[in-house]
Amino acid sequence: RALFATISIIIVAVLVGYGLLPKPELKSYIPYSYVYFDRDNKLLRISLAKDQRYRVYTPLDQIAPSLIEATILYEDQYFYQHYGVDIGALFRAFWSTYISKGRRIGASTITMQMARLRWGIASNTLSGKVQQIFRAVQLSKFYSKKEIVESYLNLAPYGRNIEGVGAASLILFNKKPSELSLPESLSLAVIPQNPNKRNIISAKGYQQHLLARRNLFKRWLKKYPQDQAKAKFLDL
């Protein structure tokens, strides 16, 4: 009974507040780095943003399609089917975590992760999760799927003080995001879910990263079996 009461309160709060939500800013509220290239378009350096982060805003059409696809496939495979919140996944996660006391399972969509990053939400608590859901609905009200995934890819953590694919691609691969290969795209796609444990700089982090990348590639092949030959570039 308590479970249904809690769920009912969440639903009512979301519905009531929906019409009152203001449009949030997704780009100009944070500072960005400056990138310097030489006359041959080779990277010279990236400056730190004012908050001591490496963050280079990159429009979606300047990001390799393989990275966009790999990120959605890994983080939120039903991204285009739900309205910012995957209700079924949320119920399963809530039941496993708070009712059956089983293992914690993830249920955050890309939109919910974007909300967590945008507002600095502590989503590991019940109240934080409710706020995250509410903010995800707010984002879905004002922004298209394209705009949301673009914003997420520009805020996602890639280890240490690197945020967004623009900085991650330049720092880790010395390439612009539009130039990434499939192996490189898969490598970046698995980092934001656990950037500390999948730090490719350390030996232990590299092994964790390698395992996650292998699992993602198996998922990728179910959708794109023609890419099987590229396994040799992924240490498989």
Side-chain angles (χ1 to χ4, degrees):
R1 182 176 299 176
L3 170 62
F4 289 108
T6 301
I7 293 173
S8 298
I9 291 172
I10 294 173
I11 293 174
V12 170
V14 169
L15 292 176
V16 170
Y18 183 77
L20 304 175
L21 293 172
K23 183 176 181 178
E25 174 56 49
L26 294 184
K27 182 179 178 181
S28 61
Y29 76 98
I30 52 173
Y32 295 93
S33 303
Y34 290 98
V35 183
Y36 300 90
F37 296 94
D38 66 14
R39 66 180 63 186
D40 297 318
N41 208 29
K42 292 183 178 180
L43 178 66
L44 293 176
R45 72 182 184 91
I46 305 175
S47 69
L48 283 168
K50 291 181 179 179
D51 60 356
Q52 302 303 301
R53 296 287 189 272
Y54 290 107
R55 189 187 297 116
V56 180
Y57 199 92
T58 308
L60 199 65
D61 60 7
Q62 295 179 25
I63 300 174
S66 59
L67 176 55
I68 300 169
E69 176 73 13
T71 299
I72 293 173
L73 186 64
Y74 192 65
E75 295 285 357
D76 185 2
Q77 59 182 318
Y78 301 114
F79 176 69
Y80 293 106
Q81 281 73 55
H82 59 66
Y83 195 69
V85 178
D86 188 332
I87 301 298
L90 274 179
F91 271 105
R92 291 191 294 272
F94 187 90
W95 183 271
S96 177
T97 302
Y98 299 104
I99 306 302
S100 65
K101 303 298 181 181
R103 68 181 182 88
R104 297 180 68 92
I105 58 176
S108 291
T109 63
I110 283 177
T111 311
M112 290 173 64
Q113 292 179 59
M114 178 58 207
R116 176 178 57 80
L117 294 168
R118 168 63 177 82
W119 284 281
I121 300 170
S123 58
N124 57 341
T125 65
L126 182 57
S127 61
K129 184 61 67 176
V130 172
Q131 182 184 358
Q132 186 184 25
I133 292 170
F134 189 81
R135 290 298 192 180
V137 172
Q138 180 182 10
L139 291 175
S140 296
K141 177 181 180 181
F142 292 105
Y143 291 99
S144 67
K145 292 289 187 180
K146 177 181 177 180
E147 290 170 320
I148 289 172
V149 74
E150 177 181 284
S151 296
Y152 173 73
L153 286 170
N154 277 283
L155 285 181
Y158 288 92
R160 297 178 295 174
N161 60 341
I162 303 171
E163 295 184 0
V165 298
S169 179
L170 288 170
I171 292 172
L172 298 178
F173 296 112
N174 196 26
K175 286 185 176 182
K176 295 180 180 179
S178 60
E179 301 170 342
L180 292 170
S181 65
L182 175 58
E184 291 163 345
S185 293
L186 295 174
S187 293
L188 286 183
V190 301
I191 296 176
Q193 196 176 94
N194 202 328
N196 293 324
K197 287 188 177 180
R198 294 172 187 170
N199 182 353
I200 61 176
I201 303 301
S202 69
K204 186 176 181 180
Y206 179 78
Q207 290 302 317
Q208 293 286 335
H209 175 271
L210 184 62
L211 178 61
R213 191 177 64 174
R214 285 173 176 169
N215 290 335
L216 174 56
F217 187 57
K218 290 177 183 178
R219 196 182 302 179
W220 180 276
L221 287 179
K222 290 181 180 179
K223 193 170 183 179
Y224 303 104
Q226 67 272 19
D227 288 327
Q228 176 64 59
K230 296 180 181 178
K232 61 183 178 181
F233 300 110
L234 290 161
D235 300 325
L236 300 178

